[in-house]
């Protein structure tokens, strides 16, 4: 790929990422949340209580980031952390009633953001986007170990 094409592609992705984050920040502010916290709450709503380490993996975040988020969400009353029955060093994280109610408002914000993001795109393109974006994410995932023949 030549530089001009690479530059256009990378700039488009960078700007989308920045503007997407700025917009979700605005949508989450009335809920008292910061970006990333909504993803944690949605993950718990989808999959139920889980050990904090598993939650970190599911969110693609480093454990210290999840620890900080869980502390703040616990202080706000949206989640509770309890010692794991099999490992007292691990914490099980689960939604409280407050967190469950908040998830419904988060879903509304995510729908608004998604609708704004794909405005003007044909439905077949919108339907393909999750798979395309997942492929892009996988391609740049720095945690993935590549074999020399894959480069």
């Amino acid at each position: 790929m030549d530089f001009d094409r690479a530059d256009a592609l990378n700039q488009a992705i960078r700007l989308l990422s920045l503007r997407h984050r700025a917009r979700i920040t605005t949508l989450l502010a009335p809920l008292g949340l910061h970006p990333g916290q909504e993803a944690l709450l949605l993950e718990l709503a989808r999959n139920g209580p889980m050990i904090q380490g598993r939650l970190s993996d599911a969110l693609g975040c480093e454990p210290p980031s999840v620890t900080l988020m869980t502390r703040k969400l616990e202080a706000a009353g949206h989640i509770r952390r309890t010692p794991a029955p099999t490992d007292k060093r691990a914490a099980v994280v689960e939604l409280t009633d407050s967190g469950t109610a908040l998830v419904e408002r988060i879903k509304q914000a995510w729908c608004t953001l998604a609708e704004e993001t794909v405005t003007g795109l044909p439905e077949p393109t919108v339907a393909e986007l999750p798979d395309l974006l997942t492929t892009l994410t996988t391609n740049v995932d720095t945690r993935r170990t590549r074999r020399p023949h894959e480069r």
Side-chain angles (χ1 to χ4, degrees), residues 70-146:
T70 57
R71 284 183 185 155
K72 289 180 178 184
L73 290 169
E74 185 176 40
H78 302 311
I79 64 165
R80 78 176 55 84
R81 293 183 301 164
T82 55
T86 57
D87 181 354
K88 297 300 180 195
R89 295 170 297 165
V92 174
V93 183
E94 64 183 312
L95 291 173
T96 61
D97 290 342
S98 169
T100 300
L102 186 56
V103 164
E104 293 310 310
R105 296 179 64 197
I106 292 168
K107 287 178 180 180
Q108 292 171 357
W110 270 45
C111 288
T112 297
L113 179 60
E115 289 166 1
E116 291 174 1
T117 302
V118 301
T119 295
L121 294 177
E123 181 52 39
T125 301
V126 173
E128 289 178 23
L129 276 174
D131 286 341
L132 290 171
L133 294 170
T134 297
T135 298
L136 295 177
T137 300
T138 300
N139 289 346
V140 298
D141 189 350
T142 58
R143 292 171 297 184
R144 203 172 79 152
T145 55
R146 292 185 176 182

Coordinates of all heavy atoms in Angstrom, one line a residue, residues 70-146:
T70 N -14.1 -0.8 38.5 CA -15.0 -1.5 39.4 C -15.1 -0.7 40.8 O -16.2 -0.7 41.4 CB -14.6 -3.0 39.7 OG1 -13.2 -3.0 40.1 CG2 -14.8 -3.8 38.4
R71 N -14.0 -0.2 41.2 CA -14.0 0.6 42.5 C -15.0 1.8 42.4 O -15.8 2.0 43.3 CB -12.6 1.1 42.8 CG -11.7 0.0 43.4 CD -10.4 0.6 43.8 NE -9.5 -0.5 44.3 CZ -8.2 -0.5 44.3 NH1 -7.6 0.6 43.8 NH2 -7.5 -1.5 44.7
K72 N -14.9 2.5 41.3 CA -15.8 3.7 41.1 C -17.2 3.2 40.9 O -18.1 3.9 41.5 CB -15.3 4.5 39.9 CG -14.0 5.2 40.1 CD -13.5 6.0 39.0 CE -12.2 6.7 39.3 NZ -11.8 7.6 38.2
L73 N -17.5 2.2 40.2 CA -18.8 1.7 40.0 C -19.4 1.1 41.3 O -20.6 1.3 41.5 CB -18.9 0.7 38.8 CG -18.7 1.3 37.4 CD1 -18.5 0.2 36.4 CD2 -19.8 2.2 37.0
E74 N -18.6 0.5 42.1 CA -19.0 0.0 43.3 C -19.4 1.1 44.3 O -20.4 1.1 45.0 CB -18.0 -0.9 44.0 CG -18.4 -1.6 45.2 CD -17.3 -2.6 45.8 OE1 -16.1 -2.2 45.7 OE2 -17.7 -3.6 46.2
A75 N -18.5 2.2 44.3 CA -18.8 3.3 45.2 C -20.1 4.0 44.8 O -20.8 4.6 45.6 CB -17.6 4.3 45.1
A76 N -20.4 4.0 43.5 CA -21.7 4.6 43.0 C -22.9 3.7 43.2 O -24.0 4.1 43.0 CB -21.5 4.9 41.5
G77 N -22.6 2.4 43.7 CA -23.7 1.5 43.9 C -24.2 0.7 42.8 O -25.3 0.1 42.9
H78 N -23.5 0.7 41.6 CA -23.9 0.0 40.4 C -23.5 -1.4 40.3 O -24.1 -2.2 39.6 CB -23.5 0.8 39.2 CG -24.0 2.2 39.2 ND1 -25.3 2.5 39.4 CD2 -23.3 3.4 38.9 CE1 -25.4 3.9 39.3 NE2 -24.2 4.4 39.0
I79 N -22.4 -1.8 41.1 CA -21.9 -3.2 41.1 C -21.6 -3.5 42.5 O -21.4 -2.6 43.4 CB -20.7 -3.4 40.2 CG1 -19.5 -2.6 40.7 CG2 -21.0 -3.1 38.7 CD1 -18.2 -3.0 40.1
R80 N -21.4 -4.8 42.8 CA -20.8 -5.2 44.0 C -19.7 -6.2 43.7 O -19.8 -6.9 42.7 CB -21.9 -5.8 44.9 CG -22.3 -7.2 44.6 CD -23.3 -7.8 45.7 NE -24.5 -7.0 45.9 CZ -25.6 -7.0 45.1 NH1 -25.7 -7.8 44.1 NH2 -26.6 -6.2 45.4
R81 N -18.7 -6.2 44.5 CA -17.6 -7.2 44.4 C -17.6 -8.0 45.7 O -17.6 -7.5 46.8 CB -16.3 -6.4 44.2 CG -16.2 -5.7 42.9 CD -14.8 -5.0 42.7 NE -14.6 -4.1 43.8 CZ -13.4 -3.5 44.1 NH1 -12.3 -3.9 43.4 NH2 -13.2 -2.7 45.1
T82 N -17.5 -9.3 45.5 CA -17.4 -10.2 46.6 C -16.2 -11.2 46.3 O -15.9 -11.5 45.2 CB -18.7 -11.0 46.8 OG1 -19.0 -11.7 45.6 CG2 -19.9 -10.1 47.2
P83 N -15.6 -11.7 47.4 CA -14.6 -12.7 47.2 C -15.1 -13.9 46.4 O -16.2 -14.4 46.7 CB -14.1 -13.1 48.6 CG -14.6 -11.9 49.5 CD -15.9 -11.4 48.8
A84 N -14.2 -14.4 45.5 CA -14.6 -15.6 44.8 C -14.6 -16.8 45.7 O -13.7 -16.9 46.6 CB -13.6 -15.8 43.6
P85 N -15.5 -17.7 45.6 CA -15.6 -18.8 46.5 C -14.4 -19.7 46.5 O -14.0 -20.3 47.5 CB -16.9 -19.6 46.1 CG -17.4 -18.9 44.9 CD -16.6 -17.7 44.6
T86 N -13.7 -19.8 45.3 CA -12.6 -20.7 45.2 C -11.2 -20.0 45.3 O -10.2 -20.7 45.5 CB -12.6 -21.4 43.8 OG1 -12.6 -20.4 42.8 CG2 -13.9 -22.3 43.7
D87 N -11.2 -18.7 45.3 CA -10.0 -18.0 45.4 C -10.2 -16.6 46.1 O -10.7 -15.7 45.4 CB -9.3 -17.8 44.0 CG -8.0 -17.1 44.1 OD1 -7.6 -16.6 45.1 OD2 -7.4 -16.9 43.0
K88 N -9.9 -16.5 47.3 CA -10.2 -15.3 48.1 C -9.5 -14.1 47.6 O -9.8 -13.0 47.9 CB -9.9 -15.5 49.6 CG -10.8 -16.6 50.2 CD -12.3 -16.3 50.1 CE -13.1 -17.4 50.7 NZ -14.5 -17.4 50.4
R89 N -8.4 -14.3 46.8 CA -7.7 -13.2 46.2 C -8.5 -12.6 45.0 O -8.3 -11.4 44.6 CB -6.3 -13.6 45.8 CG -5.4 -14.0 46.9 CD -4.2 -14.6 46.4 NE -4.5 -15.8 45.6 CZ -3.7 -16.5 44.8 NH1 -2.5 -16.0 44.6 NH2 -4.1 -17.5 44.2
A90 N -9.4 -13.4 44.4 CA -10.1 -12.9 43.3 C -11.5 -12.4 43.7 O -12.0 -12.8 44.7 CB -10.3 -14.1 42.3
A91 N -12.0 -11.4 42.9 CA -13.3 -10.8 43.2 C -14.3 -11.2 42.1 O -14.0 -11.1 41.0 CB -13.2 -9.3 43.4
V92 N -15.5 -11.5 42.6 CA -16.6 -11.7 41.6 C -17.3 -10.4 41.6 O -17.7 -9.8 42.6 CB -17.6 -12.8 42.1 CG1 -18.8 -12.9 41.2 CG2 -16.8 -14.2 42.2
V93 N -17.6 -9.9 40.3 CA -18.3 -8.7 40.1 C -19.6 -8.9 39.6 O -19.8 -9.8 38.7 CB -17.5 -7.8 39.1 CG1 -18.1 -6.5 38.9 CG2 -16.0 -7.7 39.5
E94 N -20.7 -8.2 40.1 CA -22.0 -8.4 39.6 C -22.8 -7.1 39.7 O -22.4 -6.2 40.5 CB -22.8 -9.5 40.4 CG -23.0 -9.2 41.9 CD -23.6 -10.3 42.6 OE1 -24.6 -10.9 42.1 OE2 -23.1 -10.7 43.7
L95 N -23.8 -7.0 38.9 CA -24.6 -5.8 38.9 C -25.5 -5.7 40.1 O -26.0 -6.8 40.6 CB -25.6 -5.8 37.7 CG -24.9 -5.6 36.3 CD1 -26.0 -5.8 35.2 CD2 -24.3 -4.2 36.2
T96 N -25.8 -4.5 40.6 CA -26.8 -4.3 41.7 C -28.1 -3.9 40.9 O -28.1 -3.8 39.7 CB -26.3 -3.2 42.6 OG1 -26.2 -2.0 41.8 CG2 -25.0 -3.5 43.3
D97 N -29.1 -3.7 41.7 CA -30.4 -3.3 41.1 C -30.2 -1.9 40.4 O -30.7 -1.7 39.3 CB -31.5 -3.2 42.1 CG -31.9 -4.5 42.6 OD1 -31.7 -5.5 41.9 OD2 -32.6 -4.6 43.7
S98 N -29.4 -1.1 41.0 CA -29.1 0.2 40.4 C -28.3 0.1 39.1 O -28.6 0.7 38.1 CB -28.2 1.1 41.4 OG -27.7 2.2 40.8
G99 N -27.4 -0.8 39.1 CA -26.6 -1.1 37.8 C -27.5 -1.7 36.7 O -27.4 -1.3 35.6
T100 N -28.4 -2.6 37.1 CA -29.3 -3.2 36.1 C -30.2 -2.1 35.5 O -30.4 -2.1 34.3 CB -30.2 -4.3 36.8 OG1 -29.3 -5.3 37.3 CG2 -31.1 -4.9 35.8
A101 N -30.7 -1.2 36.4 CA -31.5 -0.1 35.8 C -30.7 0.8 34.9 O -31.2 1.3 33.9 CB -32.1 0.7 37.0
L102 N -29.5 1.1 35.3 CA -28.6 2.0 34.5 C -28.3 1.3 33.2 O -28.2 2.1 32.2 CB -27.3 2.2 35.3 CG -26.3 3.2 34.7 CD1 -27.0 4.6 34.5 CD2 -25.1 3.4 35.6
V103 N -28.2 0.0 33.1 CA -27.9 -0.6 31.8 C -28.9 -0.3 30.8 O -28.6 -0.1 29.6 CB -27.8 -2.2 32.0 CG1 -27.9 -2.9 30.7 CG2 -26.5 -2.5 32.7
E104 N -30.2 -0.2 31.2 CA -31.2 0.2 30.2 C -31.0 1.6 29.6 O -31.2 1.8 28.4 CB -32.6 0.1 30.8 CG -33.0 -1.3 31.2 CD -32.8 -2.3 30.0 OE1 -33.3 -2.1 28.9 OE2 -32.2 -3.4 30.3
R105 N -30.5 2.5 30.4 CA -30.2 3.8 29.9 C -28.9 3.8 29.0 O -28.8 4.6 28.1 CB -30.1 4.8 31.1 CG -31.4 5.0 31.8 CD -31.4 5.9 33.0 NE -31.1 7.2 32.5 CZ -30.6 8.2 33.4 NH1 -30.4 7.9 34.7 NH2 -30.4 9.4 32.9
I106 N -28.0 3.0 29.4 CA -26.8 2.8 28.6 C -27.1 2.3 27.2 O -26.6 2.7 26.2 CB -25.8 1.9 29.3 CG1 -25.2 2.6 30.6 CG2 -24.6 1.5 28.4 CD1 -24.4 1.6 31.5
K107 N -28.0 1.3 27.2 CA -28.4 0.7 25.9 C -29.0 1.8 25.0 O -28.8 1.8 23.8 CB -29.4 -0.4 26.1 CG -28.8 -1.7 26.7 CD -29.9 -2.7 26.9 CE -29.3 -4.0 27.4 NZ -30.3 -5.1 27.6
Q108 N -29.8 2.7 25.6 CA -30.4 3.8 24.8 C -29.2 4.7 24.2 O -29.3 5.1 23.0 CB -31.3 4.6 25.6 CG -32.6 3.9 26.0 CD -33.4 4.7 27.0 OE1 -33.0 5.7 27.5 NE2 -34.6 4.1 27.4
A109 N -28.3 5.0 25.0 CA -27.1 5.8 24.6 C -26.3 5.1 23.5 O -26.0 5.7 22.5 CB -26.2 6.1 25.8
W110 N -26.1 3.8 23.6 CA -25.4 3.0 22.6 C -26.2 3.0 21.3 O -25.6 3.1 20.2 CB -25.1 1.6 23.1 CG -23.8 1.6 23.8 CD1 -23.3 2.5 24.7 CD2 -22.7 0.6 23.6 NE1 -22.0 2.1 25.1 CE2 -21.7 1.0 24.5 CE3 -22.6 -0.5 22.9 CZ2 -20.5 0.2 24.6 CZ3 -21.5 -1.3 22.9 CH2 -20.4 -0.9 23.8
C111 N -27.5 2.9 21.4 CA -28.3 2.9 20.2 C -28.2 4.3 19.5 O -28.1 4.3 18.2 CB -29.8 2.6 20.5 SG -30.1 0.8 20.9
T112 N -28.3 5.3 20.3 CA -28.2 6.7 19.7 C -26.8 6.8 19.0 O -26.8 7.3 17.9 CB -28.3 7.7 20.8 OG1 -29.6 7.6 21.4 CG2 -28.1 9.1 20.3
L113 N -25.8 6.4 19.7 CA -24.4 6.5 19.1 C -24.3 5.7 17.8 O -23.8 6.2 16.8 CB -23.4 6.1 20.1 CG -21.9 6.2 19.6 CD1 -21.5 7.6 19.2 CD2 -21.0 5.6 20.7
A114 N -24.8 4.5 17.8 CA -24.7 3.7 16.6 C -25.5 4.3 15.5 O -25.0 4.3 14.3 CB -25.2 2.3 16.9
E115 N -26.7 4.7 15.8 CA -27.5 5.3 14.7 C -26.8 6.6 14.1 O -26.8 6.8 12.9 CB -28.9 5.7 15.2 CG -29.7 4.4 15.5 CD -31.0 4.7 16.4 OE1 -31.3 5.8 16.7 OE2 -31.7 3.7 16.6
E116 N -26.3 7.4 15.0 CA -25.6 8.6 14.5 C -24.4 8.2 13.7 O -24.1 8.8 12.6 CB -25.1 9.5 15.7 CG -26.3 10.1 16.4 CD -25.8 10.9 17.7 OE1 -24.6 10.9 18.0 OE2 -26.7 11.4 18.3
T117 N -23.7 7.2 14.1 CA -22.4 6.8 13.4 C -22.7 6.3 12.0 O -21.9 6.5 11.1 CB -21.7 5.7 14.2 OG1 -21.4 6.3 15.5 CG2 -20.4 5.3 13.6
V118 N -23.8 5.5 11.8 CA -24.0 4.9 10.5 C -25.0 5.7 9.6 O -25.4 5.2 8.5 CB -24.5 3.4 10.6 CG1 -23.4 2.6 11.3 CG2 -25.8 3.3 11.3
T119 N -25.4 6.9 10.1 CA -26.4 7.7 9.3 C -25.9 7.8 7.8 O -24.7 8.1 7.6 CB -26.6 9.0 9.9 OG1 -27.2 8.9 11.2 CG2 -27.4 9.9 9.1
G120 N -26.8 7.6 6.9 CA -26.4 7.7 5.5 C -25.8 6.5 4.8 O -25.6 6.5 3.6
L121 N -25.5 5.5 5.6 CA -25.0 4.3 5.0 C -26.1 3.3 4.6 O -27.1 3.2 5.3 CB -24.0 3.6 6.0 CG -22.7 4.3 6.4 CD1 -22.0 3.5 7.4 CD2 -21.9 4.5 5.1
P122 N -25.9 2.6 3.5 CA -26.9 1.6 3.1 C -27.0 0.5 4.1 O -25.9 0.1 4.7 CB -26.5 1.2 1.7 CG -25.1 1.7 1.5 CD -24.8 2.7 2.5
E123 N -28.1 -0.1 4.3 CA -28.3 -1.2 5.3 C -27.4 -2.3 5.1 O -26.8 -2.9 6.1 CB -29.8 -1.7 5.3 CG -30.1 -2.8 6.3 CD -29.6 -2.4 7.8 OE1 -29.7 -1.3 8.2 OE2 -29.1 -3.4 8.4
P124 N -27.1 -2.8 3.8 CA -26.1 -3.9 3.7 C -24.8 -3.5 4.2 O -24.1 -4.4 4.8 CB -26.1 -4.1 2.2 CG -27.4 -3.6 1.7 CD -27.8 -2.5 2.6
T125 N -24.3 -2.3 4.1 CA -23.0 -1.9 4.6 C -23.1 -1.9 6.1 O -22.1 -2.4 6.8 CB -22.7 -0.5 4.1 OG1 -22.6 -0.5 2.7 CG2 -21.4 0.0 4.7
V126 N -24.2 -1.4 6.7 CA -24.3 -1.4 8.2 C -24.3 -2.8 8.7 O -23.6 -3.1 9.7 CB -25.6 -0.7 8.6 CG1 -25.9 -0.8 10.1 CG2 -25.6 0.8 8.2
A127 N -24.9 -3.7 8.0 CA -24.9 -5.1 8.5 C -23.5 -5.7 8.4 O -23.2 -6.6 9.2 CB -25.9 -5.9 7.6
E128 N -22.7 -5.3 7.5 CA -21.3 -5.9 7.4 C -20.3 -5.2 8.3 O -19.3 -5.8 8.6 CB -20.8 -5.6 5.9 CG -21.5 -6.4 4.9 CD -20.9 -6.1 3.5 OE1 -19.8 -5.6 3.4 OE2 -21.6 -6.4 2.5
L129 N -20.7 -4.0 8.8 CA -19.7 -3.3 9.7 C -19.1 -4.1 10.9 O -17.9 -4.1 11.1 CB -20.2 -2.0 10.1 CG -20.1 -0.9 9.1 CD1 -20.8 0.4 9.6 CD2 -18.7 -0.6 8.8
P130 N -20.0 -4.7 11.7 CA -19.4 -5.4 12.8 C -18.3 -6.5 12.5 O -17.3 -6.5 13.1 CB -20.6 -6.1 13.5 CG -21.8 -5.2 13.1 CD -21.5 -4.8 11.7
D131 N -18.5 -7.2 11.4 CA -17.5 -8.2 11.0 C -16.3 -7.5 10.5 O -15.2 -7.9 10.8 CB -18.1 -9.2 10.0 CG -19.0 -10.2 10.6 OD1 -19.0 -10.4 11.8 OD2 -19.8 -10.8 9.8
L132 N -16.5 -6.5 9.7 CA -15.3 -5.7 9.1 C -14.5 -5.1 10.2 O -13.3 -5.2 10.2 CB -15.8 -4.6 8.2 CG -16.4 -5.1 6.8 CD1 -17.0 -3.9 6.1 CD2 -15.3 -5.8 6.0
L133 N -15.2 -4.5 11.2 CA -14.4 -3.8 12.3 C -13.8 -4.9 13.2 O -12.7 -4.6 13.7 CB -15.4 -2.9 13.1 CG -15.9 -1.7 12.3 CD1 -17.0 -1.0 13.1 CD2 -14.8 -0.8 11.9
T134 N -14.4 -6.0 13.4 CA -13.8 -7.1 14.2 C -12.5 -7.5 13.5 O -11.5 -7.8 14.1 CB -14.7 -8.2 14.4 OG1 -15.9 -7.7 15.2 CG2 -14.1 -9.4 15.1
T135 N -12.5 -7.7 12.2 CA -11.3 -8.1 11.4 C -10.2 -7.0 11.6 O -9.1 -7.4 11.8 CB -11.7 -8.3 9.9 OG1 -12.6 -9.3 9.8 CG2 -10.4 -8.6 9.1
L136 N -10.6 -5.7 11.5 CA -9.6 -4.7 11.6 C -9.0 -4.7 13.0 O -7.8 -4.6 13.2 CB -10.2 -3.3 11.4 CG -10.7 -3.0 10.0 CD1 -11.3 -1.6 9.9 CD2 -9.6 -3.1 9.0
T137 N -9.8 -5.0 14.0 CA -9.3 -5.0 15.4 C -8.4 -6.2 15.6 O -7.3 -6.1 16.2 CB -10.5 -5.2 16.4 OG1 -11.4 -4.0 16.2 CG2 -10.1 -5.3 17.8
T138 N -8.8 -7.3 15.0 CA -7.9 -8.5 15.1 C -6.6 -8.3 14.4 O -5.5 -8.7 14.9 CB -8.6 -9.7 14.5 OG1 -9.8 -10.0 15.2 CG2 -7.7 -11.0 14.5
N139 N -6.6 -7.6 13.3 CA -5.4 -7.3 12.5 C -4.4 -6.4 13.3 O -3.2 -6.6 13.1 CB -5.7 -6.6 11.2 CG -6.4 -7.6 10.2 OD1 -6.4 -8.8 10.4 ND2 -7.0 -7.0 9.2
V140 N -4.9 -5.6 14.1 CA -4.0 -4.7 14.9 C -3.8 -5.0 16.3 O -3.2 -4.3 17.1 CB -4.4 -3.2 14.7 CG1 -4.4 -2.7 13.3 CG2 -5.7 -2.9 15.4
D141 N -4.4 -6.2 16.7 CA -4.3 -6.6 18.1 C -2.8 -6.9 18.5 O -2.3 -7.9 18.0 CB -5.2 -7.8 18.3 CG -5.3 -8.2 19.8 OD1 -4.6 -7.6 20.6 OD2 -6.1 -9.0 20.1
T142 N -2.3 -6.0 19.3 CA -0.8 -6.2 19.6 C -0.6 -7.4 20.6 O 0.6 -7.8 20.7 CB -0.3 -4.9 20.3 OG1 -1.1 -4.6 21.5 CG2 -0.4 -3.8 19.4
R143 N -1.6 -7.9 21.2 CA -1.4 -9.1 22.1 C -1.3 -10.4 21.3 O -0.9 -11.4 21.8 CB -2.6 -9.2 23.0 CG -2.6 -8.0 24.0 CD -3.8 -8.1 24.8 NE -4.9 -7.8 23.9 CZ -6.1 -7.7 24.2 NH1 -6.5 -7.8 25.4 NH2 -7.1 -7.5 23.3
R144 N -1.6 -10.3 20.0 CA -1.6 -11.5 19.1 C -0.1 -11.8 18.8 O 0.6 -10.9 18.4 CB -2.4 -11.2 17.9 CG -2.9 -12.4 17.2 CD -3.8 -12.0 16.1 NE -3.0 -11.6 15.0 CZ -3.4 -11.7 13.7 NH1 -4.6 -12.1 13.4 NH2 -2.6 -11.2 12.8
T145 N 0.3 -13.0 18.9 CA 1.6 -13.3 18.4 C 1.5 -13.8 17.0 O 0.7 -14.7 16.7 CB 2.2 -14.4 19.4 OG1 1.4 -15.5 19.4 CG2 2.5 -13.9 20.8
R146 N 2.4 -13.2 16.2 CA 2.4 -13.6 14.8 C 3.6 -14.4 14.5 O 4.7 -14.2 15.0 CB 2.4 -12.3 13.9 CG 1.1 -11.5 14.0 CD 1.2 -10.4 13.0 NE -0.1 -9.7 13.0 CZ -0.4 -8.7 12.2 NH1 0.5 -8.3 11.4 NH2 -1.6 -8.1 12.3

